Amino acid sequence: MSSILFVTNDKGGAGKSFFTRTLIQYFLDHEFPFVAFDLDLSNPDVYRCMQGICKVRLAILSESERLIDSANAVFNAALEHDVICNLPAQVGPALQAWIENNQLLDLAEEMDVQMRFFFVTDAGFEANKLFIHSVQQYGDRIPHTLVKNYGLTDDFSPIDEDPFVQELLEAFDVDVIALPKFMGAVDRNFIDANSLSFGEALTHPDFGPISQQRIKVFLRKAYEQFDQLPFLKPPAPEVAVAPKQKRSPRKKGGKA
């Protein structure tokens, strides 16, 4: 089974692109086969950073009849490999139309494709409202993983102390992970300004040992979170079991 991993939150500024780039680096470092799509055409920084590093494409989710088929490449790619999709803000209605008009949930089940949401949040009121809506709308058929973005805040009490949100997490078996804070604003700004992947930044001549160490620490902490998610691990290879050899019958009066 392959997966389409949608990185989402209809609220802008939640850190979706940064999380997507981290997830892509995880796939690269673990040599998992995948294709990435950047659907945020207003600011396709995932495409800019990862172009030439991995298979990354641009696509559009739109309710316009003229563009209604432009996102089909996302589903088609998932027939062969896992797909990572960076979704723009305010794409919810177009995503819903694409899924419903094509009956993609039924088709995905038929083609053995699993859609999943990584919902990246800063625990703000608007983000919580959108998360609740997403789980209520899709939670029984599209599994969610809630990503607490510690790069934006370290106060997630609006999630942790909200009984209704906690009830939803339990009812729909929502995984909760953390995106750690990247230490060093100057280093992060340099990575973003130069459209670098994390792998490129680690070997960049302008990055000294401390800057490189910050990247390694960030990735190590992020990977520890990803490692908790069983659906990100490739299936164990099947081990051929040799058939048991039959013993030759003993001869009467012979030695064992």
Side-chain angles (χ1 to χ4, degrees):
M1 173 180 285
S2 58
S3 297
I4 303 177
L5 307 174
F6 292 109
V7 180
T8 188
N9 184 344
D10 260 11
K11 174 181 173 293
K16 295 186 295 291
S17 296
F18 194 73
F19 174 82
T20 303
R21 286 156 53 193
T22 307
L23 183 62
I24 288 175
Q25 194 65 47
Y26 178 82
F27 271 65
L28 288 171
D29 288 347
H30 288 76
E31 299 182 348
F32 296 162
F34 74 99
V35 179
F37 282 86
D38 196 341
L39 290 94
D40 188 353
L41 299 190
S42 64
N43 183 27
D45 56 342
V46 170
Y47 181 79
R48 284 195 299 266
C49 290
M50 306 312 301
Q51 191 178 19
I53 305 297
C54 65
K55 293 180 180 178
V56 58
R57 306 171 189 171
L58 294 170
I60 304 172
L61 268 173
S62 173
E63 297 177 88
S64 164
E65 190 168 341
R66 183 174 61 87
L67 301 171
I68 200 166
D69 291 328
S70 60
N72 291 351
V74 171
F75 190 90
N76 293 338
L79 300 178
E80 297 183 12
H81 301 299
D82 285 342
V83 174
I84 301 173
C85 290
N86 179 50
L87 296 181
Q90 300 178 347
V91 77
L95 177 64
Q96 181 181 354
W98 182 61
I99 291 174
E100 292 182 355
N101 292 341
N102 295 290
Q103 298 186 359
L104 286 187
L105 293 176
D106 294 331
L107 182 61
E109 185 174 352
E110 178 184 337
M111 304 302 294
D112 203 24
V113 172
Q114 175 69 72
M115 295 184 181
R116 295 181 178 273
F117 285 137
F118 281 101
F119 192 98
V120 184
T121 184
D122 60 359
F125 174 78
E126 185 66 21
N128 287 353
K129 185 171 69 171
L130 290 167
F131 172 69
I132 290 170
H133 175 72
S134 182
V135 174
Q136 290 178 326
Q137 183 175 20
Y138 296 112
D140 56 342
R141 298 198 67 182
I142 303 181
H144 283 62
T145 298
L146 183 64
V147 182
K148 297 178 177 179
N149 187 353
Y150 279 83
L152 295 179
T153 182
D154 58 2
D155 180 13
F156 287 92
S157 57
I159 293 173
D160 300 335
E161 298 175 8
D162 186 320
F164 183 68
V165 173
Q166 292 301 308
E167 184 179 332
L168 279 181
L169 295 177
E170 184 175 355
F172 291 96
D173 198 21
V174 176
D175 293 307
V176 181
I177 63 172
L179 180 64
K181 183 176 182 178
F182 187 99
M183 302 305 296
V186 172
D187 290 337
R188 174 169 173 174
N189 290 339
F190 183 88
I191 292 172
D192 292 344
N194 290 276
S195 299
L196 299 176
S197 70
F198 292 113
E200 289 176 316
L202 280 171
T203 59
H204 197 281
D206 290 347
F207 268 39
I210 293 178
S211 297
Q212 292 174 357
Q213 182 68 359
R214 286 172 174 166
I215 298 171
K216 293 176 183 176
V217 169
F218 168 76
L219 291 178
R220 175 176 56 78
K221 290 181 177 179
Y223 290 4
E224 288 173 354
Q225 297 293 309
F226 293 149
D227 286 342
Q228 299 176 29
L229 303 174
F231 61 84
L232 289 185
K233 297 177 182 177
E238 294 185 6
V239 178
V241 179
K244 292 183 179 179
Q245 294 184 350
K246 295 181 179 179
R247 287 188 181 182
S248 299
R250 297 180 183 178
K251 290 183 180 179
K252 204 169 185 179
K255 293 183 180 180

